[in-house]
């Protein structure tokens, strides 16, 4: 096989596997809907559905051992928390994008951060969900959405 044939083949493979950040985050949001469904819950990309997501994230938060429990019980790994942050952050971001507008991009301000650009401002739904999982109710995602809605609609 000639070098030019190999390069052509590699370009074709790269094109097939080049998903955009947008494609990836939509896929994550669909994963969130499927996970919620397995819990007997329905998500529909509405503002109201974020209350359901808050309940789900509270379950994750409660599953993280705190205080003395850390010594005796193993909670989710950092990698598992990051993965759930992407899945549920994808859903949160899609609610924002579908209701307020915006485009998924890799952040121009932070390395390896996934952002949603709304009215030329970067917001970080996966990072917000990560904080919600780690910190609990103080990082309520419904409140976050309402603040963004107030800021960016009208």
């Amino acid at each position: 096989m000639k070098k030019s044939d190999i390069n052509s083949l590699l370009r074709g493979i790269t094109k097939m596997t080049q998903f955009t950040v947008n494609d990836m985050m939509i896929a994550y949001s669909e994963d969130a809907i499927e996970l919620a469904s397995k819990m007997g819950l329905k998500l529909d990309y509405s503002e109201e559905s974020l209350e359901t997501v808050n309940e789900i994230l509270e379950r994750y938060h409660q599953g993280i051992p705190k205080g003395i429990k850390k010594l005796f019980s193993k909670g989710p790994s950092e990698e598992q928390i990051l993965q759930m942050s992407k899945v549920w952050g994808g859903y949160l971001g899609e609610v924002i994008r579908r209701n307020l507008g915006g485009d998924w991009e890799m952040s121009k301000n932070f390395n390896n951060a996934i952002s949603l650009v709304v009215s030329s401002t970067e917001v970080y739904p996966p990072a917000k969900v990560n904080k919600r999982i780690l910190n609990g109710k103080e990082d309520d995602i419904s409140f976050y959405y309402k603040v963004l809605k107030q800021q960016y609609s009208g």
Side-chain angles (χ1 to χ4, degrees), residues 20-154:
T20 65
V21 176
N22 192 62
D23 295 334
M24 179 179 69
M25 296 313 290
I26 289 171
Y28 277 137
S29 75
E30 291 167 354
D31 288 346
I33 290 171
E34 189 177 323
L35 280 170
S37 176
K38 287 179 181 176
M39 295 177 204
L41 303 168
K42 187 175 184 331
L43 299 178
D44 60 5
Y45 296 108
S46 67
E47 177 179 336
E48 296 76 24
S49 70
L50 294 178
E51 286 300 330
T52 302
V53 175
N54 253 331
E55 292 169 20
I56 293 167
L57 297 177
E58 183 60 19
R59 293 180 196 176
Y60 288 125
H61 174 70
Q62 294 298 324
I64 298 172
K66 294 156 196 72
I68 194 88
K69 286 184 183 175
K70 280 185 189 179
L71 298 173
F72 303 106
S73 59
K74 184 180 182 295
S77 70
E78 192 174 319
E79 184 58 39
Q80 289 169 320
I81 292 171
L82 285 173
Q83 188 61 33
M84 286 297 104
S85 298
K86 289 177 193 170
V87 168
W88 297 107
Y91 183 80
L92 170 60
E94 278 300 294
V95 171
I96 295 166
R97 190 178 72 80
R98 291 171 187 221
N99 292 289
L100 305 178
D103 295 299
W104 288 106
E105 296 180 8
M106 291 308 291
S107 174
K108 291 171 181 58
N109 299 312
F110 300 100
N111 279 343
N112 299 320
I114 298 167
S115 68
L116 186 64
V117 179
V118 183
S119 298
S120 73
T121 302
E122 285 187 359
V123 295
Y124 309 94
K128 180 61 182 176
V129 167
N130 187 268
K131 287 176 72 174
R132 174 62 179 88
I133 292 170
L134 296 175
N135 299 337
K137 293 178 184 173
E138 71 186 58
D139 277 301
D140 184 287
I141 62 167
S142 294
F143 180 75
Y144 176 75
Y145 175 84
K146 288 172 185 160
V147 168
L148 291 176
K149 181 179 175 182
Q150 193 172 33
Q151 200 168 354
Y152 297 114
S153 61

